[in-house]
């Protein structure tokens, strides 16, 4: 990808200054519930690498409604309701779902499958990319920024 990519809606714009630190296809039930997609392309950036031009215009709600005290908040546009990003209350990461948050194909495809649950009955992905039951084992959470 180019080092600069951008997204958001017409009221709130986000910009990624650096390449992502993790890029996966997520199979978890929370993403399914929030996006309505069977799997979700999820991209993590270091918190400071996603800039938001109108942070005051964001409406924040728990990403996981069943765990309102969890660290991730879904940020939507207070004006039009478009999903803008997930923000981490601990300021470690910001998360972009490219196809829903205005990034389209500016971000390269996911490198692996995350949170695949064999008990779900969904066939194990066979596209050659690694499949994990969580994040990739070598993923390290960045320090809070
Ligand atoms: Zn997920
Ligand atoms: Zn908007």
């Amino acid at each position: 990808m180019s080092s600069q990519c951008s997204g958001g809606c017409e009221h709130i714009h986000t910009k990624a200054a650096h390449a992502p630190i993790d890029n996966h296809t997520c199979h978890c039930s929370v993403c399914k519930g929030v996006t309505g997609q069977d799997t979700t392309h999820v991209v993590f950036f270091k918190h400071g690498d996603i800039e938001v031009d109108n942070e005051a215009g964001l409406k924040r709600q728990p990403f996981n409604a069943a765990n309102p005290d969890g660290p991730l908040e879904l940020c939507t546009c207070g004006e039009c309701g478009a999903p803008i990003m997930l923000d981490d209350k601990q300021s470690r990461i910001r998360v972009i779902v490219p196809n829903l948050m205005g990034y389209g194909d500016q971000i390269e495809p996911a490198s692996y499958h995350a949170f695949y649950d064999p008990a779900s009955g969904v066939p194990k992905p066979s596209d050659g990319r690694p499949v994990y039951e969580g994040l990739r084992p070598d993923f390290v959470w960045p320090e809070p920024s």
Side-chain angles (χ1 to χ4, degrees), residues 93-116:
I93 61 168
R94 281 177 162 169
V95 182
I96 295 292
V97 175
N99 70 326
L100 299 179
M101 297 177 176
Y103 281 73
D105 56 8
Q106 294 173 79
I107 298 174
E108 62 190 49
S111 58
Y112 71 100
H113 295 272
F115 298 103
Y116 171 71

Side-chain angles (χ1 to χ4, degrees), residues 70-83:
L72 291 179
E73 293 179 312
L74 172 63
C75 299
T76 52
C77 172
E79 193 106 3
C80 70

Side-chain angles (χ1 to χ4, degrees), residues 8-12 76-82 84:
C9 66
E10 59 177 295
H11 314 102
I12 302 176
T76 52
C77 172
E79 193 106 3
C80 70
I84 303 296

Side-chain angles (χ1 to χ4, degrees), residues 26 28 31 63 115:
C26 192
C28 87
C31 287
F63 168 57
F115 298 103

Side-chain angles (χ1 to χ4, degrees), residues 4-145:
Q4 283 271 1
C5 54
S6 58
C9 66
E10 59 177 295
H11 314 102
I12 302 176
H13 305 96
T14 60
K15 195 167 74 182
H18 294 100
I21 55 170
D22 193 78
N23 186 343
H24 62 265
T25 298
C26 192
H27 293 250
C28 87
S29 59
V30 181
C31 287
K32 272 192 188 119
V34 171
T35 68
Q37 303 176 155
D38 285 345
T39 61
T40 304
H41 182 195
V42 173
V43 185
F44 288 3
F45 290 88
K46 276 168 79 175
H47 194 272
D49 286 350
I50 291 282
E51 291 170 33
V52 184
D53 68 350
N54 176 15
E55 225 170 305
L58 292 171
K59 192 176 153 220
R60 294 169 179 272
Q61 51 252 289
F63 168 57
N64 182 353
N67 179 23
D69 295 327
L72 291 179
E73 293 179 312
L74 172 63
C75 299
T76 52
C77 172
E79 193 106 3
C80 70
I84 303 296
M85 66 174 177
L86 302 185
D87 202 5
D88 174 17
K89 288 183 204 163
Q90 298 173 31
S91 298
R92 297 164 299 178
I93 61 168
R94 281 177 162 169
V95 182
I96 295 292
V97 175
N99 70 326
L100 299 179
M101 297 177 176
Y103 281 73
D105 56 8
Q106 294 173 79
I107 298 174
E108 62 190 49
S111 58
Y112 71 100
H113 295 272
F115 298 103
Y116 171 71
D117 177 7
S120 67
V122 176
K124 187 171 174 175
S126 56
D127 57 13
R129 293 178 294 147
V131 180
Y132 300 115
E133 292 180 26
L135 294 171
R136 62 186 160 87
D138 55 343
F139 177 73
V140 179
W141 288 86
E143 291 296 313
S145 69

